[in-house]
């Protein structure tokens, strides 16, 4: 809460319990018996064993109920005092980063590959030459592109069209599926709320730091139960300077990501995972502005779903005031995806291709499944299916995070190509062993991966091919008289029309949910937008072969946006009532009793 600094608190706790304090000043790696693979667990628990003068001493950074338990332990067993010491969370963190930095970096970059190699997008032969890796990926892409049409002939065109239609049908099914309605529960008292970790990976985001922290501070959640971790890159001095200008905030910590490849957002998130103190963990992006109710709504969503809910996804909404036609289409796409389609998928019980922001996890579950894949450039979609393979479900809840959409085509293309490349990675990883995927995630998970993740890329790749074949059949040779198109051309025309029509229909449903139906005119440009999606998909395919782990960063702060996150009226009223109650409990002293 900021009522007392940690050093003063530890000094008083030390005097009360008789436990000495540890500063880690003169210690090195050999003073701790921890093996390298145990260091992330020490960071998670806040407990580090040390060897001092031939004795094993347990050093603890008190958090949550630890101080109370220590007081009781020392009172019942005074002989414990020589074998335990107190340390500040900051000094313990710095010691682990200084002496166990390599182990923590390996856990962030190689942890998933070491624990679950079949679920990692990392190169299978890490020491293979780059040209050899590219040759393997290129050969695999050529085999998938050339062998089916050579073997199946014209039947392959039929398969592509049917896959395209199945993708469209699943999107319509998810969007039209009846929604489950949950009664709004009463406001949970602050003392019943868990500690909540909020993790944000930042790179070249100096201008976004202050608005981001302001949005986090606007969350309707007790400040003392927030654990905010900002992860920055070692060479990003402007962003680090922007954070330093905020001053000391007791609930905010900064971690420096290791200077090891790959330089990706999921690797940065993995760096924070061992140090997260919360029972739940939310991932935000630099430009995000979550509504104040989001963390409380997420806690309620986890409580409704039970222990098998590993993740719940908030809704994302574009709030650009400066727009281009691309950003307007992007806003419609987000409304369709997060307000209509994903809630339906969750109600169907299917794995969710999660969005890259406002994902809320059970921290223990995220650690259990191996954290994020640092080699997958859309770690969110991968996590949705990995959670399903471990037996966990993902849901959505009705709280919104406002985001910025790219305005220029170049920025949009880079972002969308990265998404498409990550979906290719996700499909390749989970389809390595189709039978195992079926056993782990069931038939629903198997078809969801192929229809959604695979279908999103395949439809974008196939769209220009089907469009060309349709136009060729309709126009024919210049000298030939016009003729009725054959069955294949009719199927291609039906496929393309279904794709365009479903985009318009689901987009209008999403805009209606947001009360923005008057902006639906932009959907007249759907055919042009699909051409752009196809360009991004083919670019992603080339990048997948040549440079699969390269993270093309999206620049933020280019669009004009509303000044602040709107605070719901009920939150404002509740805060006013709390202030009145606080005044009644602790009234101001009379004028003659006040100090001059």
């Amino acid at each position: 809460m900021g009522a007392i600094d940690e050093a003063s608190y530890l000094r008083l706790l030390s005097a009360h319990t008789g436990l000495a304090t540890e500063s880690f000043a003169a210690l090195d790696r050999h003073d701790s018996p921890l093996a390298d693979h145990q260091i992330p667990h020490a960071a998670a628990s806040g407990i580090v064993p040390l060897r001092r003068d031939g004795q094993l001493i347990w050093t603890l950074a008190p958090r949550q109920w630890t101080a109370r338990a220590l007081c009781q332990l020392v009172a019942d067993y005074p002989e414990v005092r020589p074998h335990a010491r107190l340390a500040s969370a900051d000094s313990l963190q710095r010691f682990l980063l200084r002496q166990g930095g390599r182990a923590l970096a390996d856990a962030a970059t190689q942890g998933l590959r070491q624990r679950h190699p079949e679920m990692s997008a990392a190169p299978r032969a890490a020491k293979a030459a780059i040209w050899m890796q590219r040759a393997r990926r290129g050969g695999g892409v050529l085999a998938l592109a050339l062998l089916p049409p050579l073997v199946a002939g014209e039947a392959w065109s039929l398969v592509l069209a049917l896959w395209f239609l199945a993708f469209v049908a699943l999107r319509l099914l998810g969007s039209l599926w009846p929604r489950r309605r949950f009664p709004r529960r009463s406001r949970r008292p602050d003392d019943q709320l868990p500690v909540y970790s909020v993790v944000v990976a930042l790179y070249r985001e100096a201008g976004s730091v202050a608005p981001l922290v302001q949005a986090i501070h606007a969350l309707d959640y007790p400040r003392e139960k927030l654990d905010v971790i900002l992860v920055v890159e070692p060479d990003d001095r402007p962003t680090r300077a922007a954070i330093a200008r905020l001053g000391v905030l007791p609930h905010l910590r900064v971690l420096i990501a290791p200077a090891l490849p790959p330089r990706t957002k999921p690797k940065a998130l993995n760096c924070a995972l061992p140090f997260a103190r919360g029972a739940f963990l939310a991932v935000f992006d630099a430009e995000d502005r979550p509504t104040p109710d989001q963390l409380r709504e997420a806690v309620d969503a986890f409580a409704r779903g039970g222990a098998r809910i590993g993740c719940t996804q908030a809704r994302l909404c574009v709030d650009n005031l400066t727009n281009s036609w691309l950003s307007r289409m992007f806003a419609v796409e987000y409304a369709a995806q997060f307000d209509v389609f994903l809630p339906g998928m969750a109600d169907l019980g299917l794995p969710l291709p999660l969005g890259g922001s406002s994902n809320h996890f059970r921290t223990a579950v995220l650690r259990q499944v191996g954290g994020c894949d640092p080699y997958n450039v859309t770690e969110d979609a991968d996590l949705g299916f990995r959670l399903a393979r471990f037996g966990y479900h993902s849901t959505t809840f009705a709280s919104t995070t406002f985001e910025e959409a790219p305005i220029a085509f170049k920025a949009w293309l880079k972002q969308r190509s990265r998404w498409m490349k990550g979906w290719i990675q996700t499909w390749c990883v989970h389809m390595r062993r189709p039978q195992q995927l079926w056993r782990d995630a069931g038939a629903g998970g198997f078809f969801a991966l192929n229809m959604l993740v695979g279908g999103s890329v395949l439809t974008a790749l196939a769209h220009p091919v089907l469009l060309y074949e349709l136009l060729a059949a309709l126009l024919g040779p210049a000298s030939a008289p016009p003729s009725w198109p054959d069955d294949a051309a009719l199927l291609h025309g039906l496929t393309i029309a279904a794709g365009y029509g479903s985009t318009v229909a689901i987009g209008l449903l999403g805009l209606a949910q947001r009360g923005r139906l008057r902006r639906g005119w932009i959907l007249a440009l759907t055919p042009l937008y699909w051409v752009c999606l196809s360009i991004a998909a083919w670019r992603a395919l080339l990048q997948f072969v040549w440079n699969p782990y390269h993270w093309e960063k999206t620049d933020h702060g280019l669009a004009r946006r509303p000044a602040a996150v709107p605070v719901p009226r009920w939150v404002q009223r509740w805060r006013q009532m709390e202030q009145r109650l606080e005044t009644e409990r602790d009234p101001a002293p009379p004028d003659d009793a006040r100090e001059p």
Side-chain angles (χ1 to χ4, degrees):
M1 297 175 68
I4 183 173
D5 63 273
E6 191 175 15
S8 300
Y9 173 75
L10 284 179
R11 187 170 60 252
L12 294 169
L13 183 62
S14 173
H16 179 73
T17 58
L19 296 174
T21 58
E22 178 60 68
S23 65
F24 299 100
L27 300 179
D28 59 23
R29 179 70 179 86
H30 301 290
D31 291 310
S32 175
L34 288 173
D36 283 352
H37 72 275
Q38 294 174 315
I39 289 180
H41 300 287
S45 63
I47 303 174
V48 175
L50 298 172
R51 291 194 189 96
R52 300 299 296 263
D53 301 325
Q55 290 187 341
L56 184 65
I57 296 175
W58 296 91
T59 306
L60 304 91
R63 58 177 74 158
Q64 300 183 38
W65 298 104
T66 307
R68 186 172 298 187
L70 275 176
C71 292
Q72 187 64 47
L73 180 68
V74 171
D76 294 341
Y77 304 97
E79 63 274 14
V80 168
R81 288 190 178 96
H83 303 287
R85 291 189 179 184
L86 303 172
S88 69
D90 181 64
S91 63
L92 186 142
Q93 175 180 302
R94 282 189 282 107
F95 173 75
L96 290 176
L97 288 171
R98 185 174 66 250
Q99 304 299 340
R102 183 69 193 189
L104 290 166
D106 286 343
T109 56
Q110 307 299 329
L112 180 64
R113 176 161 65 177
Q114 293 167 357
R115 292 172 57 189
H116 308 290
E118 72 284 356
M119 296 189 189
S120 170
R124 305 302 295 271
K127 296 183 179 180
I130 291 179
W131 67 267
M132 180 62 72
Q133 297 177 26
R134 288 171 175 168
R136 289 173 179 170
R137 290 189 295 268
V141 168
L142 286 175
L144 286 174
L146 299 179
L147 286 181
L150 289 176
V151 173
E154 293 184 359
W156 179 240
S157 179
L158 175 64
V159 170
L160 283 179
L162 293 178
W163 199 335
F164 199 115
L165 291 172
F167 166 74
V168 169
L170 183 57
R171 282 183 55 80
L172 288 172
L173 176 65
S175 301
L176 299 175
W177 191 259
R179 299 290 182 265
R180 288 186 294 172
R181 303 296 179 185
F182 300 101
R184 187 177 183 87
R185 61 166 293 154
S186 58
R187 179 183 170 90
R188 194 182 296 264
D190 287 358
D191 61 355
Q192 295 180 17
L193 292 171
V195 174
Y196 218 115
S197 292
V198 174
V199 181
V200 187
L202 301 172
Y203 182 53
R204 299 204 311 261
E205 297 285 2
S208 300
V209 168
L212 169 69
V213 174
Q214 181 183 5
I216 292 174
H217 284 173
L219 291 170
D220 180 28
Y221 209 81
R223 190 73 57 88
E224 68 274 15
K225 292 193 173 184
L226 277 179
D227 170 38
V228 183
I229 304 176
L230 306 182
V231 188
V232 298
E233 296 295 327
D235 61 346
D236 189 5
R237 294 187 179 277
T239 302
R240 294 167 66 177
I243 297 172
R245 284 194 292 271
L246 298 175
V248 177
L249 300 172
H251 58 286
L252 187 147
R253 292 177 286 159
V254 179
L255 292 177
I256 309 299
L260 293 175
R263 175 175 283 189
T264 58
K265 171 186 168 183
K267 185 197 75 174
L269 298 178
N270 282 347
C271 295
L273 186 57
F275 294 98
R277 303 171 187 170
F280 300 109
L281 185 149
V283 175
F284 291 121
D285 283 341
E287 82 279 16
D288 284 356
R289 295 177 180 177
T291 52
D293 65 343
Q294 186 159 134
L295 299 191
R296 288 181 181 268
E297 290 290 334
V299 171
D300 290 343
F302 281 112
R304 283 195 303 267
R308 301 312 297 176
I309 299 298
C311 176
T312 186
Q313 166 81 62
R315 299 180 181 183
L316 305 181
C317 179
V318 172
D319 66 349
N320 285 32
L321 296 178
T322 309
N323 277 298
S324 64
W325 77 271
L326 269 174
S327 65
R328 293 181 190 276
M329 284 296 298
F330 195 102
V332 175
E333 196 176 21
Y334 259 36
Q337 180 78 355
F338 293 100
D339 291 324
V340 177
F341 176 60
L342 287 186
M345 289 286 291
D347 287 345
L348 284 166
L350 296 175
L352 301 185
L354 300 169
S357 171
S358 300
N359 307 132
H360 298 252
F361 299 95
R362 292 186 188 274
T363 307
V365 170
L366 187 56
R367 289 171 177 155
Q368 177 192 346
V369 303
C372 302
D373 187 348
Y375 289 90
N376 191 315
V377 294
T378 50
E379 77 293 341
D380 38 22
D382 169 68
L383 261 176
F385 286 92
R386 185 149 30 103
L387 285 167
R389 296 187 68 173
F390 276 82
Y392 293 99
H393 303 289
S394 300
T395 63
T396 64
F397 66 104
S399 180
T400 300
T401 295
F402 294 95
E403 289 198 337
E404 175 187 350
I407 298 176
F409 176 74
K410 183 178 180 181
W412 178 92
L413 182 63
K414 286 182 177 181
Q415 184 185 66
R416 192 54 58 106
S417 297
R418 174 169 58 80
W419 291 359
M420 295 271 190
K421 181 170 65 174
W423 294 339
I424 296 172
Q425 290 178 307
T426 299
W427 186 86
C428 291
V429 165
H430 292 285
M431 283 298 289
R432 280 174 181 159
R433 298 180 180 177
Q435 300 92 338
Q436 188 62 45
L437 172 64
W438 187 291
R439 286 194 292 268
D440 292 344
F446 182 90
F447 286 110
L449 176 76
N450 285 281
M451 293 301 104
L452 291 180
V453 177
S456 295
V457 179
L458 184 66
T459 53
L461 293 173
H463 171 247
V465 177
L466 296 177
L467 190 61
Y468 170 78
E469 292 185 355
L470 173 63
L471 293 176
L474 289 174
L475 300 178
S479 59
S483 61
W484 186 257
D486 58 18
D487 292 342
L490 285 174
L491 179 61
H492 295 162
L494 173 64
T495 301
I496 294 171
Y500 293 168
S502 65
T503 299
V504 172
I506 301 173
L508 290 175
L509 287 174
L511 289 175
Q513 287 275 355
R514 284 281 159 191
R516 299 178 175 180
L517 202 52
R518 65 184 182 278
R519 304 182 187 182
W521 61 268
I522 195 65
L523 286 165
L525 298 178
T526 295
L528 179 59
Y529 195 65
W530 273 61
V531 171
C532 295
L533 290 174
S534 296
I535 295 172
W538 284 99
R539 183 174 184 268
L541 190 64
L542 294 175
Q543 281 196 352
F544 172 74
V545 173
W546 194 256
N547 199 4
Y549 312 121
H550 174 60
W551 185 282
E552 288 193 287
K553 184 188 178 322
T554 305
D555 293 325
H556 301 122
L558 303 179
R560 194 164 54 87
R561 303 176 65 190
V565 179
V567 179
R569 291 181 179 178
W570 68 269
V571 173
Q572 298 176 21
R573 290 197 300 268
W574 184 270
R575 289 177 175 173
Q576 291 170 0
M577 185 176 69
E578 285 184 325
Q579 290 173 359
R580 287 199 305 270
L581 291 173
E582 188 66 28
T583 303
E584 292 172 3
R585 284 196 300 266
D586 188 17
D591 291 342
D592 57 357
R594 293 178 183 168
E595 294 182 359

